[in-house]
Amino acid sequence: MRRGCIAIGEIQCDGCHRIIKHPERYLAIDEEGVTSRFCVDCSLERGYARYKEEKGEKVLTFFPE
């Protein structure tokens, strides 16, 4: 299951291992009891996130089409 989240503390990205600080967005993916967390850059690189046009603005979404 995918969840788009906002960091409330310091969380480490499982892709690039940088610290995600409050109030950055990140993606949490739960698979078989293991949670992986990815920053926006890693999510975009891996195809888990994308920008879409909504009401004339580019909006970041972590959810598939």
Side-chain angles (χ1 to χ4, degrees):
M1 172 178 34
R2 290 185 186 185
R3 292 176 293 170
C5 304
I6 298 173
I8 58 171
E10 292 185 352
I11 298 167
Q12 186 172 10
C13 174
D14 291 328
C16 64
H17 303 290
R18 79 170 179 86
I19 300 297
I20 303 168
K21 296 183 179 182
H22 175 75
E24 289 182 70
R25 296 179 67 192
Y26 69 96
L27 174 66
I29 300 176
D30 294 323
E31 292 177 340
E32 300 176 14
V34 177
T35 302
S36 300
R37 294 168 180 87
F38 297 104
C39 65
V40 171
D41 294 333
C42 289
S43 297
L44 288 166
E45 183 179 299
R46 294 168 187 254
Y48 293 139
R50 63 184 170 84
Y51 284 100
K52 68 178 185 176
E53 190 78 22
E54 190 171 288
K55 297 181 182 176
E57 293 185 27
K58 285 176 63 174
V59 178
L60 176 69
T61 182
F62 293 112
F63 304 104
E65 291 185 57

